[in-house]
């Protein structure tokens, strides 16, 4: 059985799915399809049938279509990973969900701010910098009591926040003063399979995309 995986170059949410596929060791079951955003492939009828929201990542598994990176990674671990990285203990799972929501609602939007500041060639505003600092401070506090994003084992929260924070760093946001985050990110890099490779490729492709989008402004 093949899982069709639709991805875009330079996409942080696709990086989260790519890392999960690698960590679950299911690459051989996955057929990847590059969706070329610059050529509007995501707006074509065939792709809209798979994902009316026209975003990547998306998967189709035996006719079952799913978008939204965090829904996809939960599905993949439930179906192919025996819930590895998504513990079944109710409180632990609730904390993993809290971190995933904290990422999508609070930390990841700061990465989007950084991307747009580069596309528009405008520095982040004082308000954006303050909000970034608030978000990273909160995550630093969570990590005071936690080796990984939640507890002592890696979970899906590390995949998601790992990608966001690593990309903030590769896109020139200094994380040095958040010492728990620095310690955690080093651990994530050495623990999650292919992490550095996926972040390097996402950064390189992201830079090319930013350049192209900047030129078309
Ligand atoms: N919350 C979504 C975000 C997906 C998303 O916005 N992907 C971007 C690429 S990074 C995209 O597909 N953009 C094209 C579009 O929105 O039309 C997820 O986590 O999957």
């Amino acid at each position: 059985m093949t899982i069709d995986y639709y991805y875009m170059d330079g996409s942080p949410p696709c990086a989260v799915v790519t890392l999960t596929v690698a960590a679950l060791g299911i690459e051989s079951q996955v057929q990847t399809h590059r969706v070329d955003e610059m050529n509007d492939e995501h707006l074509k009828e065939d792709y809209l049938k798979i994902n009316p929201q026209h975003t990547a990542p998306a998967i189709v598994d035996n006719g079952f279509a799913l978008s939204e990176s965090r829904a996809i990674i939960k599905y993949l671990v439930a179906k192919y990973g025996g819930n590895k990285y998504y513990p079944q203990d109710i409180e632990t799972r609730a904390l993993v969900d809290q971190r995933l929501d904290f990422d999508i609602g609070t930390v990841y939007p700061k990465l989007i701010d950084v991307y747009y500041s580069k596309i528009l060639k405008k520095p982040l505003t004082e308000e954006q910098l303050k909000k970034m600092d608030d978000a990273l401070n909160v995550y630093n506090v969570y990590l005071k009591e936690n080796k990984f994003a939640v507890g002592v084992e890696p979970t899906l929260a590390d995949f998601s926040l790992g990608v966001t924070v690593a990309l903030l760093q590769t896109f020139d946001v200094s994380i040095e003063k958040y010492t728990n985050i620095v310690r955690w990110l080093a651990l994530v890099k050495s623990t999650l399979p292919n992490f550095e490779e996926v972040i390097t490729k996402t950064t390189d492709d992201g830079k090319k995309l930013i350049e192209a989008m900047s030129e078309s402004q």
Side-chain angles (χ1 to χ4, degrees):
M1 197 75 68
T2 301
I3 307 161
D4 289 298
Y5 165 33
Y6 298 85
Y7 76 97
M8 285 176 188
D9 286 337
S11 159
C14 292
V16 174
V17 172
T18 302
L19 281 174
T20 306
V21 167
L24 295 179
I26 54 171
E27 291 102 324
S28 62
Q29 287 160 264
V30 172
Q31 173 79 50
T32 54
H33 306 269
R34 178 172 175 266
V35 181
D36 186 350
E37 190 183 2
M38 292 313 280
N39 282 317
D40 285 345
E41 280 181 9
H42 59 311
L43 303 177
K44 293 201 170 133
E45 205 181 324
D46 282 355
Y47 192 67
L48 293 175
K49 278 187 200 148
I50 294 165
N51 178 11
Q53 200 190 350
H54 50 78
T55 53
I59 59 165
V60 180
D61 184 12
N62 195 25
F64 174 67
L66 189 65
S67 63
E68 287 292 340
S69 56
R70 290 156 187 84
I72 292 171
I73 60 177
K74 287 179 191 176
Y75 171 83
L76 291 176
V77 297
K79 186 147 182 201
Y80 298 101
N83 281 307
K84 195 173 178 204
Y85 304 115
Y86 197 41
Q88 282 175 301
D89 171 75
I90 290 173
E91 289 185 4
T92 312
R93 180 169 287 203
L95 285 174
V96 173
D97 286 337
Q98 186 273 343
R99 299 293 197 268
L100 290 170
D101 288 357
F102 171 65
D103 187 22
I104 197 166
T106 301
V107 190
Y108 178 66
K110 311 304 179 277
L111 179 63
I112 301 295
D113 287 347
V114 170
Y115 281 5
Y116 274 98
S117 85
K118 291 189 181 293
I119 291 167
L120 301 172
K121 297 189 171 36
K122 281 187 183 162
L124 292 173
T125 63
E126 283 302 316
E127 194 189 343
Q128 285 174 320
L129 287 169
K130 163 91 177 64
K131 285 186 176 167
M132 169 104 65
D133 185 45
D134 287 347
L136 291 174
N137 263 325
V138 169
Y139 192 41
N140 201 50
V141 170
Y142 289 151
L143 288 172
K144 204 169 158 190
E145 309 278 323
N146 290 279
K147 183 174 169 194
F148 284 95
V150 177
V152 294
E153 300 289 341
T155 64
L156 293 180
D158 295 285
F159 291 75
S160 179
L161 281 155
V163 167
T164 302
V165 175
L167 290 174
L168 280 172
Q169 193 181 36
T170 59
F171 281 92
D172 311 324
V173 174
S174 170
I175 60 162
E176 292 315 303
K177 75 170 182 169
Y178 313 99
T179 51
N180 299 322
I181 294 183
V182 172
R183 187 258 312 143
W184 160 82
L185 190 58
L187 182 64
V188 166
K189 283 181 183 171
S190 64
T191 307
L192 299 189
N194 295 1
F195 189 83
E196 299 232 52
E197 185 189 320
V198 170
I199 293 301
T200 302
K201 178 154 178 20
T202 307
T203 303
D204 292 348
D205 291 342
K207 284 182 178 164
K208 284 182 205 148
L209 204 64
I210 285 170
E211 213 176 288
M213 289 172 91
S214 192
E215 275 165 17
S216 68
Q217 286 299 308

